[in-house]
Amino acid sequence: MTLKLGFIGTGGVAKAHIANLAAIEGAEITAFCDLQLERAEAAAREWSDAKAYSAIVDMLDDRKLDAAFVCLPPMAHGEAERALIERGIPFMVEKPLGVDNELPRQLAAQIAEKGLITSVGYQWRYIQSLDEAKQFLDSSRIGMSLGCWLGSMPKVPWWRVQHLSGGQFVEQTTHITDLLRYLCGEVIEVYAAYGHRIMHELEEGTDVADVGTVTMKLANGSVATISNTCLIPAGHQTGLNVYTDQGVLEVKANGSRVIRTKEDASAHFAITQNPRLFEDTSFLDAVRTGDQSLIKSSYADSLKTHEVTVAANMSAATGKPVKL
Ligand SMILES: NC(=O)c1ccc[n+]([C@@H]2O[C@H](COP(=O)([O-])OP(=O)(O)OC[C@H]3O[C@@H](n4cnc5c(N)ncnc54)[C@H](O)[C@@H]3O)[C@@H](O)[C@H]2O)c1
């Protein structure tokens, strides 16, 4: 069965999903919406029966869609999700779910009421070797985890403004927080220290922190620290290490490995070339079958990750630990 798909937001990450969908049989994009109409038009030219729109409701009233991809910046959520929920259209939405908790909590309740299929763009969960990694963790005792996202500041202008993006921990390092929850379970308390070291002097209008460290307690008794910076000139390291009594699990953006002995330390990563392709295929399979369990990251589950990152912002602002 061919699925008719629509895009809301046709910027950087939309392009990655569109490239995947072009390679998936039975996926046809028939509608693109972007506030910048010329972007939607450029995307629509690549698909034989696609139309471009600058208003979400116009698109949804004009085209009958089986599912939609919501690829909007953090501050732009709300209208798209509400319109899709109202019409019962399953959707894949990019992380983060918003800049604070209020809107995502409202939307999660409406999604649950409708029983709508949803997927959220935490593609690290689709690294294939993570299934094995989970088995390893099931037979180990987790002590602690160390995660990081150490890179440069993304170029999109909204990213550097706190009330538009939520800042690096909410916008970007949410991937590592989600991975921690996926592998090690729920976070019950966070304490964060952030700093504004350099980037606000370099780029006018920048008010996001450019360094930060978040310490967490988990329900299973383990502890974790996740640090991030966006002030270095190029990407350095991104990933999560989990330290257990059976060895160390190392996860990077496209693969993972377990180090049990000194010899294992030289072993290669089990690589997944394109976790996002696996994510997109799983979403379409779930839409076709109505089986939400094919998706590794639902809206309801992602809300918990989002709440941890917002709690980190609250802790950094108040200087106090926040319980979840
Ligand atoms: N999963 C990942 O690894 C990953 C990677 C990159 C980006 N992202 C996420 O994807 C989201 C979008 O990022 P991006 O890099 O594509 O941003 P972008 O700025 O390149 O693209 C966003 C697009 O949305 C459009 N837009 C904004 N408000 C709109 C509205 N109300 N209606 C219609 N269109 C609207 C903009 O005009 C723009 O074209 C962000 O939340 C980001 O965190 C996720």
Side-chain angles (χ1 to χ4, degrees):
M1 167 195 172
T2 296
L3 295 176
K4 306 244 186 230
L5 308 171
F7 267 74
I8 301 173
T10 58
V13 80
K15 289 195 171 81
H17 288 291
I18 293 165
N20 285 342
L21 294 167
I24 298 174
E25 210 172 308
E28 189 190 352
I29 310 177
T30 59
F32 293 91
C33 174
D34 201 295
L35 278 184
Q36 300 179 55
L37 182 61
E38 64 283 4
R39 285 191 172 184
E41 286 171 341
R45 278 196 288 277
E46 302 295 317
W47 291 74
S48 61
D49 186 32
K51 281 174 74 175
Y53 305 83
S54 59
I56 296 164
V57 171
D58 289 352
M59 174 175 105
L60 298 179
D61 284 347
D62 193 41
R63 289 256 138 154
K64 191 174 166 349
L65 300 176
D66 296 308
F69 285 70
V70 181
C71 298
L72 296 173
M75 73 305 188
H77 290 282
E79 186 195 350
E81 290 91 334
R82 283 195 195 99
L84 293 165
I85 295 166
E86 207 176 289
R87 290 165 175 78
I89 300 173
F91 62 89
M92 189 278 159
V93 58
E94 269 303 340
K95 42 54 63 181
L97 301 178
V99 287
D100 56 24
N101 286 332
E102 202 183 327
L103 176 71
R105 282 176 179 164
Q106 284 170 10
L107 295 174
Q110 291 166 15
I111 289 163
E113 207 173 296
K114 277 260 173 166
L116 202 61
I117 299 269
T118 53
S119 172
V120 181
Y122 286 111
Q123 77 272 8
W124 288 59
R125 292 188 178 210
Y126 292 84
I127 295 169
Q128 273 150 335
S129 54
L130 279 201
D131 291 342
E132 255 171 71
K134 269 178 155 296
Q135 280 170 18
F136 165 75
L137 291 178
D138 284 346
S139 59
S140 315
R141 294 190 69 194
I142 298 171
M144 60 179 273
S145 306
L146 289 180
C148 64
W149 194 297
L150 311 174
S152 56
M153 191 171 267
K155 295 278 174 281
V156 278
W158 48 263
W159 201 94
R160 63 198 62 217
V161 184
Q162 182 67 29
H163 74 274
L164 301 181
S165 72
Q168 186 176 13
F169 206 80
V170 164
E171 208 283 338
Q172 196 171 51
T173 316
T174 187
H175 278 299
I176 308 302
T177 308
D178 186 67
L179 191 59
L180 176 73
R181 282 191 54 246
Y182 187 55
L183 294 173
C184 303
E186 295 306 336
V187 175
I188 56 170
E189 188 174 335
V190 304
Y191 171 71
Y194 292 177
H196 296 76
R197 300 287 300 153
I198 294 166
M199 296 311 290
H200 65 288
E201 291 168 4
L202 297 186
E203 290 278 355
E204 211 187 316
T206 300
D207 67 350
V208 292
D210 54 9
V211 290
T213 288
V214 182
T215 299
M216 308 181 187
K217 290 182 186 166
L218 280 80
N220 65 4
S222 73
V223 294
T225 298
I226 301 180
S227 295
N228 60 199
T229 184
C230 54
L231 64 68
I232 54 180
H236 177 229
Q237 273 186 38
T238 304
L240 182 74
N241 293 347
V242 184
Y243 298 86
T244 82
D245 63 344
Q246 301 299 313
V248 181
L249 167 66
E250 257 187 40
V251 186
K252 296 193 175 173
N254 59 355
S256 69
R257 67 174 172 175
V258 171
I259 305 170
R260 289 176 192 266
T261 62
K262 276 189 181 164
E263 293 71 47
D264 281 352
S266 59
H268 289 296
F269 274 80
I271 299 283
T272 305
Q273 291 298 349
N274 183 354
R276 194 179 278 123
L277 175 60
F278 194 11
E279 173 185 72
D280 289 338
T281 313
S282 302
F283 172 58
L284 298 190
D285 287 345
V287 172
R288 279 197 193 93
T289 59
D291 183 358
Q292 175 74 42
S293 73
L294 298 175
I295 293 168
K296 292 180 190 277
S297 185
S298 66
Y299 199 97
D301 188 73
S302 300
L303 177 61
K304 293 185 188 163
T305 295
H306 184 66
E307 287 173 339
V308 175
T309 62
V310 171
N313 279 3
M314 282 162 57
S315 174
T318 60
K320 298 206 164 65
V322 175
K323 288 196 195 310
L324 286 136

